Each structure stands twice: as C-alpha cells, then as structure tokens.
Amino acid sequence: MRLSRYFLPILKENPREAEIVSHRLMLRAGMIRQQGQGSFTMLPLGKRVLDKVCQIIREEQNRAGALEILMPTIQSAELWRESGRYDDYGKEMLRIKDRQERDMLYGPTNEEMVTDVFRTYVKSYKDLPLNLYHIQWKFRDEVRPRFGVMRGREFLMKDAYSFDLDYEGAKAAYNRMFVSYLRTFARMGLQAIPMRADTGPIGGDLSHEFIILAETGESQVFCHKDFLGLPVPGESTDFDNDAEIGDIVQEWTTPYAATDEMHDEAAWANIPDADRLSARGIEVGHIFHFGEKYSKPMNAKVQGPDGKEHFVSMGSYGIGPTRLIAAIIEASHDENGIIWPESVAPFDVALINMKPGDAECDRICDQLYSTLSAAGKDVLYDDTDQRPGGKFATADLIGLPWQVIVGPRGAAAGEAEVKNRRTGERETLPVGAVLSRFAAP
Amino acid sequence: MRLSRYFLPILKENPREAEIVSHRLMLRAGMIRQQGQGSFTMLPLGKRVLDKVCQIIREEQNRAGALEILMPTIQSAELWRESGRYDDYGKEMLRIKDRQERDMLYGPTNEEMVTDVFRTYVKSYKDLPLNLYHIQWKFRDEVRPRFGVMRGREFLMKDAYSFDLDYEGAKAAYNRMFVSYLRTFARMGLQAIPMRADTGPIGGDLSHEFIILAETGESQVFCHKDFLGLPVPGESTDFDNDAEIGDIVQEWTTPYAATDEMHDEAAWANIPDADRLSARGIEVGHIFHFGEKYSKPMNAKVQGPDGKEHFVSMGSYGIGPTRLIAAIIEASHDENGIIWPESVAPFDVALINMKPGDAECDRICDQLYSTLSAAGKDVLYDDTDQRPGGKFATADLIGLPWQVIVGPRGAAAGEAEVKNRRTGERETLPVGAVLSRFAAP
C-alpha cells in the first residue's frame, strides 16, 4: 500500500481525553475515531489489526473443534424471559422496541439465542460434543465507558458455547477452550495467566479469566512466578485427546493465581516472597462452565445412551478482539509509539523513501516494494513528500516490526537501511540482500 | 471437515413459511435459522458462503482503490439531525434511547457517520480521491420482512463512500465502483445488468441498480439482449485510468436497461422485438452519486488547488452480502437443491463414503481426504452412518460443485466416482487420478 493513497490520519498532539497509553496511541496512530460514548470507528490501520487478531482467534477456535456461525445482534426479549435474565440484567442491557412495539434488545451476550438454536436441531447425544462460536458486535450500556476500546459500549466479541451430555463432557469442552486460549494469546505475543474468577451475570460454578500483566491494568492480580516459565501448548497439541488436554490444564492451574475478588490471603502467605508476583492485570478472555443454567429453563435436552432425556451441560467462552488490540498495545509500546508483535502487525514492513523525486531513491523503492510484496510481505510504502524526520516518527508511532529506509546517499551506493522497531537495531544492506533478510523463516 | 463433527441440520420437509426457492433451500440445507422477524443466524454452512462472498467483494473494492474501515452499528441521532434525515427516515429506522435517555439509532446506512469521519481529518484536495467502505450489519424495520435473507430487517451490507473535489472527480469515483461491481458479480457466477434507478431516501441525481435476472425477482425489468454478450472487465483493468474505466461504463450503459419505475415506453418501442428482454430481476447492488447532499449540511469541505474551500462531492455504493447469497441460489439451483458456483461454494468437494466401516472404503476416503485437503481443496467428508441414498440427497441439496463417491465395489477395484453437481456428469477414475482431476487450473 502506498501511503499517498492510504488513509492514515496521524495526530501530532496527545488527545486530552485519553487516560491510558493504548487509547492515546490508537488515536494518535490513526487506528480509531470515537463516534460516541464508548463507540469507535476502526480506521484502515485499526481494521487491519482487528482482522489479524480475529483470524488468530478463528484459527485456534477451529483447531479446538469449535464451529463458526453468526447470530444477529438484535434479539427478542422473549428468549431472555425464558432464561429469567431479562429482568436481572439491569440498565447495561440496551432495550429496544420495534415498530410493532415488540420488546427487543441489543445482545450483550448470546447464551439464550445459541441455546435456542441448539434445542431446535439437536436431539441426540450422538451429535455431541458441539461447540458453536461467532464473532459479532455486542452492546453493553456501561455507566462510564472509558479507556477507548478497552471498555467500550459497542464492542466486538468472540463468544463460543459448548453443549455436552454430562459434566464430564462439559469439563473436557471447557479444557479444550482453556488450552485454545493459551495458544491464542501466545500467538499474539501476550503472556496470559489463567485465574479462577467470579462468574457474574453469566452464572456457573467454574470460571477462569485470562489476564495479561500490564501496569495500566484495571485490577490487582496475584500469582506465582512459575507461570512465567510454563510452556505454551504447541501446534501439535491433540485436541481429541482429553487426557492430554486435561494435563495441560492441570499444569496451568496448579500454581497460585487469583484476581482481587478471588484472592486467598492464607494461600498467598504460603508462597515464598521471591516467588510472588503481585501486579496490575487486564482481562483478555473469560471462560465459564455453567451446566444446566440455561438448558433447564429453556428445555434444551438430548436423548442419552440410556434412552433418557438429559438437559445438556453448557459452557461459554469469550474473547474481546477490540479490547485485545488495546491490551496488546499496553503490553508492547515505548515512548515513540506502538511495537506490534509480527503476528498482528497491520503491515510487516514500513518502506521509507527519504527523498521521493530522486530517481535512484524512487527506482530502488519501487523495486523493493514490488519484490517484498511479491514475497508475501505487506508493505506500507511511505512515498509522500513529508520530511524524513516526520516519516521516521510516523513509522515508529504506528509500530510496524520492520523499517526499510532508502535515502539518496545509500541509494547511490545501492544500499538500504533495515531497522528493527522493537530493538532499534539498524543494519545497512545491499538492496538485493534486503529481500533475503525478509525471506520466510 | 468430517461431517460427523460438523453441524449441518438438514431439513427433510419443505418449510411452510418459505415462499421462494432460495429461502426454502437455505433452510433445508441447514444454512440459516430464523431468529425473529427478518433476522437470521448463519449456521456453519451459511457462514462459509457468506465469508466467500464478502472476500470477493473486499478484493474487488480494494482493487478499485477503496479502503476498508469498520463503523459501529449504533449511531447518534445528532448526526442525522445535522443532515436533516432523522425525521425524514420514518418508521424503517430503529430508534433507541440509551440509559442516559440520549437518542440513538441502529444505522440503516452510514452517509452521515462517514461524512463525520471525513470532515474530522481531511482538509485538502491533496488527500483526495478517497473511498472508504465497511462491511457491517444494518437494520431496517420493514413492515413486512420476507423471503428469508432476501428482505431481512437485520442484514449485512457493504457500503462504500467516495469523496472528491468536484463533479468530475466524483464521476470517476462512481465509474470505478461501477466497474468494480461488474467484476464482483461476475466472479460469483452472476450476470448482473446495470440499470438507471431511482435514488430514494439516499438522494442524488445519478444512480444505477445492478440487477440479476431470475424468475422469482421482486421487480419487472427491461433491457436489450446485447447485455448478455458484453465482456466483463478483466483482472488487468487499470482503475487508475479514468478514460479506460469511463469507456467500460459507456459500453455497459449504452444498451437500453431500466427498472419498472424508470421504464421509458417510447425508447422500448424503438428496440426490435427480438432484442427485447423483459424479465423479473433481483437487485444485488445499488450505487449513487449525490454530490453535496451530505457534505453541505454537514460542512465537509476541503481546500482546493484554487485556495478556496469546496464542499466535497460524494457518492455511496452498496452491496448486500446476505441478500446476495439468496440471489445466487435463485440463479443457480435445480429440483435437487443448490448448485454453487465454485467461487462461493462452502466446500469444494463432497467426499462420500458409501460404507463407513468397510476397511477399503475407509482407507481410500482417508487418503483422498488428506491429499485433497493438502492440495488446498476444502473437503466435506461424509463419514456418517447414514444410508447412501440420504448421503447423495444431502450432497445434491447443499450443492458443492464436486462429489467424490467411494463405494465398496469401486474401492475393491481402487476406483472412485467423480460427479459434477451442475452437469450431473459422472466419471469413474483410479483413486490416484482423482487428485490430478482437481489440480488447480
């Protein structure tokens, strides 16, 4: 993409309304624009990151056996009356009347609707296990939306729902999502720590939050330092093997870890000082087992191998992709801007032409642009007539992992400079060697 | 994907509520489930088709220079008061109050919001042309939603918005979208005919609908048969070349074509009988040039090369991906079910094991499944214990382009049968030859 044809509205000044660094950097880097209270447009750069984040989530959901569907945003109040949550949910639920004065709502979550889909079609244990997920907009009418996309009112959510014959099956489904989440966050360059959590309005008896540590975290968390060294399950993890998956969950739930609400001072006191990690955390995922909480009132049951009818045992599993973008920035930035992990970077390379109009600079940049693009790299080519200082500042701010810089002096010598955004390391290379530098590993 | 692990709730009976063939087939093939009046869940098979459709739209929007963003579904009423459309829009607009009693609405379209994004950042003609699009849910509270996803209340829409300094620039932007639409629909196997159209609540002075011909079309259309032979612009079309793009538009707007509302009996009478095509049509896209209709009341202006400020000249360009799925089915089905064009098929191949449990059938199917998958084909492997007749009926109903059938007799001889869903042609091949049969062209 040529920057001269792109829409990247960089802000020079720090926006006053932004209280945390991710909000500030997303506004400054031209990723988002606020449209209303807790509501944001993803501008082209932000949209590209969102797509990368969603794609990783999707791949890991599919790998764990979940199937993608897409439910509507607007739901009938009737369904929520069936589960008993319509009145419980309070003012956070956006209630709507249509032209026929029917009660509707903008879904804050989808347990009821997916249970309705399930009970329509599934009648036998032979069709289980089943896990359906979608990535869809949600609306929660928070009293005080803030921190940009970290706590919005309209936000994107990946929510998965598992259906099983009994507790044992449901626990295995829960474990698969647990392991899938470990892989998902690790692929985004995040160290996420699963912590026992409160279940809140979703309900249930078993729940984990996935927390990443960041100074600006919304809550205090406590965990054993052992987490920092635990191996993340690899690509060859066999999600069909309940024992293997269970062992991974066991490993990741053995050291002490708790959010503020669930913190146990006595257990904490038993951990040696040097092994304690007390820090601020950001919730990036939340999984629940809630058994028959919805299947019973909504009459979602299947015939078991015993010939009898059983209410299915359910769980739900959420990740907020828009919030995740902010969390990644909180965990990975410096004073000059964002530092994207390669897996979610909006472009792989910033190609900077320091002097457009200089024949050699243009020729070398055109050549690098086409060879890098042909090699499958997403290149943002700064071909604008801004001054070099401004171009460097923009490249640092938007945080692409690599910068390839072509100036008149280097161009005359057939050379370009390659800069690593994270380490700041610079290397001068013959133009021909730049491509091999970016060959796939 | 193994069918035993998939969620494909086929209906044996014709659902009574479905009045048109696409609605009937989408329900029967387990693609959608109705959630409320004009509101649908896309089940896994439907979601896959939707993704394919959106990806083609996206590729062709990008090729024509449009940039993808993502605006929220909920909008502030304030913006619509600025343009004057808040009161005009009537009961089709879903109006909402939040917990602070602020007036909001579920966007039926996004001219106001995107104009607001534009005016915030763009101040100079040097940043033009600009075309921003998103693919996002819309809600229109129709009195009588019907025909399944063909006329829903909550539906997905790709809407693009162009901004230019003057009419000439805006016309070039309009032409690029016009040509992009020709390519988009052709890639989905559709013959779309652009017709001069009424502008309705969007407003403006220039507008084309893209109509595909289908017996079940919602409106009567009239056109010259010459359209059926016009060449669709190829991949090498240069969207930077206004003259080239203008010539294509000229070619595609010269023969007579009109919807019912725009029909001109006098012009029609001048066409020889044998060249007249009067048929039912389905609108699959609609493009508008409306100049300063929004930029003027909303004060969206840029400095021109003359140093003066100019209200930008705008257009908008819509395609409904959910409705498009129905239109494709209307245009491509037979008495046994859907016939997907390869470009939008949910899977490329149905692999049918006629006798799971038979060692040779299982071995050959496993081999075909892994080799075809490794070759990049999406395979739906029917490994269930349903009877062969039911498997064939399902495969025909869901309409994958190819069926590869493995039965005990063929398996013993090392052979499989390959069936083309569209033509019905069958071919018996050695198992080893099946893969080369599906090698990329």
Side-chain angles (χ1 to χ4, degrees):
Chain A
M1 175 62 64
R2 285 170 185 271
L3 186 54
S4 59
R5 295 170 161 229
Y6 203 53
F7 181 56
L8 184 72
I10 297 291
L11 302 185
K12 295 244 165 60
E13 305 297 324
N14 270 327
R16 262 183 307 174
E17 74 269 30
E19 299 170 59
I20 60 171
V21 69
S22 58
H23 190 191
R24 199 156 62 230
L25 288 175
M26 288 179 82
L27 288 169
R28 285 199 51 213
M31 291 179 66
I32 54 170
R33 161 167 161 70
Q34 184 159 351
Q35 291 304 151
Q37 279 244 37
S39 156
F40 296 87
T41 288
M42 304 300 292
L43 299 174
L45 199 75
K47 177 60 168 59
R48 288 183 78 103
V49 178
L50 182 62
D51 286 346
K52 296 268 183 106
V53 164
C54 287
Q55 188 53 26
I56 290 174
I57 293 172
R58 192 170 275 131
E59 286 170 15
E60 295 301 330
Q61 290 290 294
N62 295 348
R63 188 194 303 275
L67 298 170
E68 189 170 7
I69 63 173
L70 190 44
M71 292 178 269
T73 61
I74 300 295
Q75 307 187 16
S76 147
E78 278 314 307
L79 278 177
W80 288 67
R81 293 200 176 103
E82 277 194 61
S83 72
R85 278 208 294 183
Y86 187 65
D87 294 322
D88 292 358
Y89 220 93
K91 288 200 160 184
E92 252 191 40
M93 181 188 276
L94 191 65
R95 290 157 210 264
I96 305 171
K97 278 189 196 294
D98 72 1
R99 67 191 297 167
Q100 265 98 27
E101 295 291 314
R102 278 177 298 225
D103 288 325
M104 307 195 300
L105 56 98
Y106 198 121
T109 176
N110 281 60
E111 280 80 8
E112 284 80 358
M113 190 180 273
V114 77
T115 303
D116 180 51
V117 170
F118 179 88
R119 69 182 174 185
T120 305
Y121 299 113
V122 185
K123 307 295 178 193
S124 163
Y125 75 97
K126 291 178 189 162
D127 295 324
L128 305 180
L130 183 65
N131 184 325
L132 299 173
Y133 76 97
H134 72 163
I135 300 178
Q136 178 62 294
W137 295 94
K138 308 290 187 293
F139 199 100
R140 292 183 189 166
D141 200 356
E142 306 248 2
V143 190
R144 219 186 125 213
R146 56 190 171 147
F147 302 150
V149 295
M150 188 76 89
R151 187 171 289 277
R153 294 201 296 171
E154 182 170 343
F155 59 98
L156 203 54
M157 188 157 98
K158 184 288 297 179
D159 35 330
Y161 303 90
S162 66
F163 303 89
D164 287 273
L165 179 64
D166 50 26
Y167 176 77
E168 196 183 321
K171 187 73 205 305
Y174 184 92
N175 286 348
R176 283 192 290 276
M177 285 292 107
F178 188 109
V179 173
S180 167
Y181 277 30
L182 291 177
R183 283 191 46 79
T184 301
F185 299 126
R187 283 187 60 187
M188 296 176 194
L190 296 172
Q191 164 94 55
I193 298 173
M195 303 194 180
R196 281 298 291 258
D198 210 7
T199 55
I202 306 289
D205 52 6
L206 174 60
S207 176
H208 283 89
E209 284 179 1
F210 289 75
I211 304 274
I212 62 158
L213 308 179
E215 277 175 35
T216 47
E218 61 210 333
S219 63
Q220 192 67 27
V221 297
F222 307 86
C223 70
H224 195 289
K225 280 192 180 156
D226 276 359
F227 275 109
L228 306 180
L230 285 182
V232 173
E235 267 195 36
S236 62
T237 305
D238 180 4
F239 282 90
D240 289 337
N241 184 334
D242 288 350
E244 177 183 336
I245 298 296
D247 287 347
I248 297 169
V249 173
Q250 182 66 41
E251 189 179 17
W252 279 85
T253 49
T254 299
Y256 183 82
T259 58
D260 212 3
E261 303 95 40
M262 304 292 279
H263 190 43
D264 173 352
E265 285 292 352
W268 187 241
N270 285 336
I271 302 172
D273 254 12
D275 291 340
R276 287 188 198 163
L277 189 58
S278 165
R280 304 297 293 176
I282 301 172
E283 182 204 323
V284 289
H286 201 160
I287 64 178
F288 303 88
H289 167 71
F290 42 71
E292 303 177 358
K293 178 175 157 81
Y294 301 93
S295 58
K296 209 163 185 171
M298 295 186 67
N299 205 30
K301 52 194 179 187
V302 295
Q303 195 173 52
D306 56 4
K308 289 185 188 149
E309 297 210 303
H310 301 256
F311 292 114
V312 285
S313 186
M314 293 175 56
S316 73
Y317 314 92
I319 293 178
T322 32
R323 141 175 283 243
L324 202 41
I325 296 174
I328 293 168
I329 295 174
E330 292 292 335
S332 185
H333 66 271
D334 64 14
E335 67 281 11
N336 296 321
I338 302 165
I339 303 173
W340 291 115
E342 306 219 358
S343 60
V344 297
F347 294 90
D348 303 306
V349 177
L351 172 62
I352 299 174
N353 187 341
M354 285 172 65
K355 199 175 179 186
D358 176 283
E360 266 311 274
C361 284
D362 290 353
R363 192 185 62 76
I364 288 175
C365 282
D366 285 349
Q367 186 192 341
L368 284 169
Y369 184 52
S370 44
T371 48
L372 288 170
S373 301
K377 295 290 164 193
D378 281 328
V379 182
L380 183 63
Y381 171 20
D382 190 342
D383 59 344
T384 65
D385 52 12
Q386 235 202 327
R387 274 180 298 182
K391 292 190 178 195
F392 297 147
T394 294
D396 279 356
L397 174 62
I398 67 173
L400 308 186
W402 297 97
Q403 298 170 16
V404 174
I405 302 157
V406 178
R409 208 174 316 166
E415 290 176 340
E417 195 179 23
V418 174
K419 177 183 161 187
N420 180 305
R421 172 67 180 92
R422 186 175 295 278
T423 64
E425 283 173 313
R426 293 158 179 275
E427 209 181 341
T428 298
L429 291 173
V431 170
V434 172
L435 181 60
S436 51
R437 184 76 191 65
F438 289 102
Chain B
M1 175 61 65
R2 285 170 186 271
L3 186 54
S4 60
R5 297 171 159 229
Y6 203 54
F7 181 55
L8 184 71
I10 297 291
L11 302 186
K12 294 242 165 61
E13 304 297 322
N14 269 328
R16 261 184 308 174
E17 73 269 31
E19 299 171 58
I20 60 171
V21 68
S22 58
H23 189 192
R24 198 156 62 230
L25 288 175
M26 289 180 81
L27 289 168
R28 286 200 51 213
M31 292 179 65
I32 54 170
R33 164 168 158 69
Q34 184 160 351
Q35 291 304 151
Q37 278 246 38
S39 155
F40 296 86
T41 288
M42 304 299 294
L43 299 174
L45 199 74
K47 177 61 167 57
R48 288 182 78 103
V49 177
L50 182 61
D51 286 347
K52 296 269 184 104
V53 164
C54 287
Q55 188 53 28
I56 290 174
I57 293 172
R58 194 172 272 129
E59 286 171 13
E60 295 302 329
Q61 290 290 293
N62 295 348
R63 186 195 304 274
L67 298 169
E68 190 171 7
I69 63 175
L70 190 45
M71 292 177 270
T73 60
I74 300 295
Q75 307 188 16
S76 147
E78 277 314 307
L79 278 178
W80 288 68
R81 293 202 177 102
E82 278 193 61
S83 72
R85 279 208 293 181
Y86 187 65
D87 294 320
D88 292 356
Y89 219 91
K91 288 198 158 186
E92 252 191 40
M93 181 187 276
L94 192 66
R95 290 156 210 265
I96 305 172
K97 278 190 196 292
D98 72 2
R99 67 192 294 166
Q100 266 99 27
E101 295 291 316
R102 277 176 298 224
D103 288 324
M104 307 195 301
L105 56 99
Y106 199 121
T109 175
N110 282 59
E111 280 80 7
E112 284 80 358
M113 191 180 272
V114 78
T115 302
D116 179 51
V117 169
F118 179 89
R119 70 183 174 185
T120 305
Y121 299 113
V122 185
K123 306 294 177 195
S124 162
Y125 75 96
K126 290 179 189 160
D127 296 323
L128 304 182
L130 183 64
N131 184 326
L132 300 173
Y133 76 97
H134 72 161
I135 301 178
Q136 178 61 293
W137 294 94
K138 308 290 186 295
F139 199 99
R140 292 183 189 166
D141 200 354
E142 306 248 2
V143 190
R144 220 187 125 212
R146 56 189 170 147
F147 303 149
V149 295
M150 188 76 89
R151 186 172 291 276
R153 293 201 297 172
E154 182 169 342
F155 59 97
L156 202 55
M157 189 157 97
K158 185 286 297 179
D159 35 328
Y161 302 90
S162 67
F163 303 89
D164 287 273
L165 179 64
D166 51 26
Y167 177 77
E168 196 182 324
K171 186 73 205 307
Y174 184 91
N175 287 348
R176 283 192 291 276
M177 285 292 108
F178 187 108
V179 173
S180 168
Y181 276 29
L182 292 176
R183 283 191 46 78
T184 301
F185 299 125
R187 284 186 61 188
M188 296 176 193
L190 296 172
Q191 163 94 55
I193 298 172
M195 303 193 180
R196 279 300 290 261
D198 210 9
T199 57
I202 305 290
D205 52 7
L206 174 61
S207 176
H208 284 89
E209 284 178 1
F210 289 74
I211 305 273
I212 62 159
L213 308 180
E215 277 174 34
T216 49
E218 61 211 334
S219 63
Q220 193 67 26
V221 297
F222 306 86
C223 71
H224 196 290
K225 280 191 180 157
D226 276 0
F227 275 108
L228 306 180
L230 285 181
V232 174
E235 268 195 35
S236 62
T237 305
D238 181 3
F239 281 91
D240 290 338
N241 184 334
D242 288 350
E244 179 183 336
I245 298 296
D247 287 347
I248 297 170
V249 173
Q250 183 66 42
E251 190 180 15
W252 279 84
T253 50
T254 299
Y256 183 82
T259 58
D260 212 3
E261 304 95 38
M262 304 292 279
H263 189 44
D264 175 350
E265 285 291 352
W268 186 240
N270 284 336
I271 301 171
D273 253 11
D275 291 340
R276 286 187 199 166
L277 190 56
S278 166
R280 305 298 291 178
I282 300 173
E283 182 203 322
V284 289
H286 201 159
I287 64 178
F288 302 87
H289 166 71
F290 44 70
E292 304 177 359
K293 178 175 158 78
Y294 301 92
S295 58
K296 208 163 186 171
M298 296 186 67
N299 205 30
K301 52 194 178 187
V302 295
Q303 195 174 51
D306 55 4
K308 291 185 188 147
E309 295 209 306
H310 302 256
F311 292 114
V312 284
S313 187
M314 293 175 56
S316 73
Y317 315 92
I319 294 178
T322 32
R323 138 174 286 244
L324 202 41
I325 295 174
I328 293 167
I329 295 174
E330 292 292 336
S332 184
H333 66 272
D334 64 15
E335 66 281 10
N336 297 320
I338 302 166
I339 303 172
W340 291 115
E342 305 219 359
S343 60
V344 296
F347 295 91
D348 302 306
V349 177
L351 172 62
I352 300 174
N353 187 341
M354 283 171 67
K355 199 174 178 188
D358 177 283
E360 266 311 274
C361 284
D362 290 354
R363 192 185 62 76
I364 288 176
C365 282
D366 286 349
Q367 187 193 339
L368 284 169
Y369 184 52
S370 45
T371 48
L372 288 170
S373 301
K377 294 291 163 191
D378 282 329
V379 182
L380 183 63
Y381 172 19
D382 190 341
D383 59 344
T384 65
D385 52 12
Q386 236 202 327
R387 275 180 297 183
K391 293 190 178 193
F392 297 148
T394 295
D396 280 354
L397 175 61
I398 67 174
L400 309 186
W402 296 96
Q403 297 170 16
V404 174
I405 302 158
V406 177
R409 207 175 317 167
E415 290 175 341
E417 194 179 24
V418 174
K419 177 182 160 187
N420 180 304
R421 172 65 180 93
R422 187 175 294 278
T423 63
E425 283 174 312
R426 291 158 181 276
E427 208 180 341
T428 300
L429 291 173
V431 170
V434 172
L435 181 60
S436 53
R437 183 76 191 66
F438 289 102

